[in-house]
Amino acid sequence: MKAVIWRGLMAIGMKFHHFADPKPPSPNFKILIPSRLSAAGGQFKLVFYVPESYYTSTDEDFRFPIVVNFHGGGFTLGTGTDDARWASAVLKNVDAIFVSVEYRLAPEHPFSIGVEDGTDALIYLAAHAEELRIDPHRMALSGFSAGGNFAFTVPLMLRDLQNDVGRRSLHETVNTHPLHNYKSSSNLSLPRPALTRTHSAATSTHSILKLSDLEPTALEVDQKIPDLTIRAIVSFYPPTDFRSSRAEKRSTNPAPEKNLPPLLTNLFDESYMPGCDIDLADPYLSPAAATDADLSAAYPKDIILYTCEYDMLNVEGTAFGNRLASAPIEKTLHGGLIRAVPHAFDKKPNPLHFPEAANKCYNEACAQLKRVFGGRVSIEERTQLDTVEVVDRFDEEESAAGSRLAKGKERQRTEDTDGLLKGPDIYDPGFKKYLDVPKR
């Protein structure tokens, strides 16, 4: 009952969050897919946001990169549309398909069903890549808070499946459908390569041509895991280590008054990890508990990680990032610790204004994704958050570039301030002299 009440409150907050201009897009379509990894069976939704070029491209063979996202909410709250502003940034800056996984929530669906749903989603999208116009070798994962945890735990579960270690396996059947007859249910409308497109995404958010079902693939028929490549992980303020207590986590925040209240974090923990039989060192729960070898093998080269200084999850997040960047794992870490901001600084329920820091954080993360997917971006695009916030970056080159940007912005502010303080004189560049303005 507590979870239901908090879900309602979060939904109201998200309506305010989405009300500010520029308003985020609505989903283009959704697909309801079956669970194959969870012993409980069942089904869940994938929420699709697609770029305009998805409908207007004349290159029928082109396959889009994809960002698979997991929303936050302590594993207990939230929906697949919560990160619509992040989806908008990805569509605009990366020209990629954005899929938000509406994984099933605790306490109805405790650990590890959310991780299993996330892994199921990734496998499903790769299996149906041709129909959905997805490039399965240009995939990225992203997530916020609890979803940021999934961005790190899903690759570990996927690798175990690929290596058949026996911890999870794809079910031959699900609760309601024999897999050899199964077709995913959806309100999907998308262009088939052989069909002529007649509408644009601008004229219809439900697309062009009705395609009610996706055809079974080797995944459905033979439980075969498709070939896919994760190119990057983007994780915003994630929990990475449940081996430490909430009290220990809280004590690490230099601004303890900005911590989430115990009433809420207790609900999250009791819902997602009920009872005392859960191994808190399980890497599917605490990715920081995984071995160096497993992290090195499961994760892509590029990892974009942001933590918040005024957040009880900051210390474990930055420690995890530093570990990933160090030998023997040696991943390339981007992002960093954002000074003087709290957990979920980008999700404020402000109907009048979307924070500039959040906008620049999203845009520079998108610049990293664009680069990873094969595009060209400048170092300034990858460090633009430094113009509005102080960021302790993981990458030395990006740290130096961010410092230059910050100094340049500070000089500009100083010059603007000096100009205001000079009083009534106005410089006319046409006459190359100052003009006296009569005082009132």
Side-chain angles (χ1 to χ4, degrees), residues 161-182:
L161 282 169
Q162 291 170 329
N163 291 311
D164 197 22
V165 301
R167 292 200 64 193
R168 296 293 189 281
S169 61
L170 294 170
H171 302 320
E172 186 173 355
T173 60
V174 294
N175 285 4
T176 56
H177 300 279
L179 277 185
H180 64 279
N181 291 326
Y182 178 77

Side-chain angles (χ1 to χ4, degrees), residues 84-367:
R85 290 194 182 278
W86 168 233
S88 179
V90 170
L91 300 186
K92 177 182 176 181
N93 297 305
V94 189
D95 201 36
I97 296 170
F98 184 95
V99 175
S100 186
V101 181
E102 206 158 77
Y103 57 87
R104 292 170 291 175
L105 302 173
E108 298 88 345
H109 304 282
F111 174 79
S112 58
I113 292 176
V115 190
E116 291 158 351
D117 287 354
T119 310
D120 262 326
L122 192 63
I123 292 171
Y124 180 93
L125 291 165
H128 290 275
E130 183 175 356
E131 286 176 292
L132 293 169
R133 304 185 71 196
I134 292 168
D135 183 346
H137 298 291
R138 287 195 295 164
M139 306 184 87
L141 304 182
S142 71
F144 296 78
S145 193
N149 173 276
F150 288 160
F152 283 127
T153 55
V154 164
L156 295 170
M157 185 175 286
L158 175 65
R159 179 175 178 272
D160 286 349
L161 282 169
Q162 291 170 329
N163 291 311
D164 197 22
V165 301
R167 292 200 64 193
R168 296 293 189 281
S169 61
L170 294 170
H171 302 320
E172 186 173 355
T173 60
V174 294
N175 285 4
T176 56
H177 300 279
L179 277 185
H180 64 279
N181 291 326
Y182 178 77
K183 292 185 179 182
S184 63
S185 170
S186 75
N187 68 344
L188 168 65
S189 305
L190 79 167
R192 286 284 191 116
L195 299 176
T196 303
R197 293 191 271 288
T198 58
H199 298 76
S200 74
T203 59
S204 172
T205 59
H206 294 286
S207 113
I208 0 175
L209 299 167
K210 184 68 177 175
L211 181 61
S212 61
D213 296 307
L214 295 182
E215 299 296 329
T217 68
L219 170 63
E220 287 84 9
V221 176
D222 299 319
Q223 294 76 58
K224 182 180 178 182
I225 298 174
D227 192 20
L228 63 92
T229 306
I230 301 173
R231 294 291 180 187
I233 292 172
V234 185
S235 187
F236 299 89
Y237 40 83
T240 59
D241 197 343
F242 285 93
R243 294 172 296 180
S244 58
S245 69
R246 281 288 179 182
E248 291 172 311
K249 295 175 191 288
R250 288 179 180 282
S251 69
T252 65
N253 189 342
E257 71 279 2
K258 296 185 181 296
N259 278 326
L260 295 178
L263 177 69
L264 196 55
T265 56
N266 289 344
L267 172 66
F268 294 161
D269 295 345
E270 292 166 4
S271 297
Y272 191 55
M273 301 171 287
C276 56
D277 58 343
I278 292 177
D279 180 7
L280 300 181
D282 188 331
Y284 296 167
L285 178 67
S286 299
T291 66
D292 289 345
D294 285 343
L295 294 174
S296 180
Y299 290 173
K301 181 66 175 175
D302 287 279
I303 295 175
I304 302 101
L305 171 63
Y306 293 96
T307 67
C308 307
E309 183 181 16
Y310 297 157
D311 181 7
M312 69 176 80
L313 303 178
N314 172 54
V315 169
E316 65 188 71
T318 53
F320 189 53
N322 287 326
R323 178 185 168 198
L324 294 177
S326 303
I329 303 175
E330 295 184 324
K331 301 299 181 182
T332 302
L333 264 288
H334 310 278
L337 186 165
I338 309 173
R339 291 288 180 183
V341 298
H343 187 83
F345 72 98
D346 58 316
K347 294 294 194 296
K348 293 179 180 179
N350 185 339
L352 302 177
H353 176 66
F354 181 57
E356 183 181 12
N359 186 54
K360 288 188 178 297
C361 184
Y362 286 5
N363 287 342
E364 74 169 38
C366 285

